[in-house]
Amino acid sequence: MAIRGRAPRSAGPISVAMSSELRRRLQAEARRRGLGVSPTLRTLAVERLAEVEEERELGRARAWQLQRALDVLDAIERGEVEESSWDEIDALFDKALARAKRRSGAEGR
């Protein structure tokens, strides 16, 4: 529990064993970034964690979309989905595009 008015304490340093080749690559990256080795290692870890989380979220979204598509396909095969004309489809897209243009115009103000 943090004491009121004080910043929470750092968890402390983490010791990581690495090969000399990996250390050389890390030092080269640190030089490219203009940082020390520790800040570079911390930055790389944060960047990679963000990528992993994003990939995980994208995977969940894809699974959800696939399930929805399969549900619709099942409904189509059962005859529960009415067919639409191309005119109806075009009208839906025109309406959606007009709504998107209005939103982007409102955001630019």
Side-chain angles (χ1 to χ4, degrees):
M1 183 167 110
I3 298 175
R4 211 177 205 167
R6 290 188 184 176
R9 293 190 331 169
S10 169
I14 297 175
S15 177
V16 178
M18 64 179 68
S19 68
S20 57
E21 171 60 19
L22 183 55
R23 181 176 292 273
R24 184 195 62 71
R25 290 171 53 203
L26 181 59
Q27 289 168 335
E29 182 63 23
R31 280 192 300 277
R32 276 191 290 279
R33 291 177 181 235
L35 298 171
V37 173
S38 291
T40 299
L41 184 57
R42 186 172 35 256
T43 300
L44 289 170
V46 168
E47 289 171 358
R48 182 61 186 134
L49 282 172
E51 290 171 1
V52 166
E53 290 166 351
E54 186 176 314
E55 289 168 5
R56 188 175 298 126
E57 185 175 335
L58 185 57
R60 285 192 302 263
R62 285 183 176 146
W64 179 85
Q65 289 174 341
L66 176 60
Q67 186 58 54
R68 292 284 300 140
L70 292 173
D71 292 346
V72 170
L73 179 60
D74 288 342
I76 290 169
E77 289 176 343
R78 289 189 305 267
E80 298 171 356
V81 176
E82 295 180 23
E83 290 186 20
S84 297
S85 70
W86 282 112
D87 289 337
E88 291 171 315
I89 294 170
D90 286 339
L92 285 171
F93 273 89
D94 290 343
K95 184 177 176 181
L97 287 171
R99 191 170 43 236
K101 286 179 184 176
R102 281 195 307 273
R103 278 193 208 136
S104 65
E107 290 173 4
R109 293 180 195 173

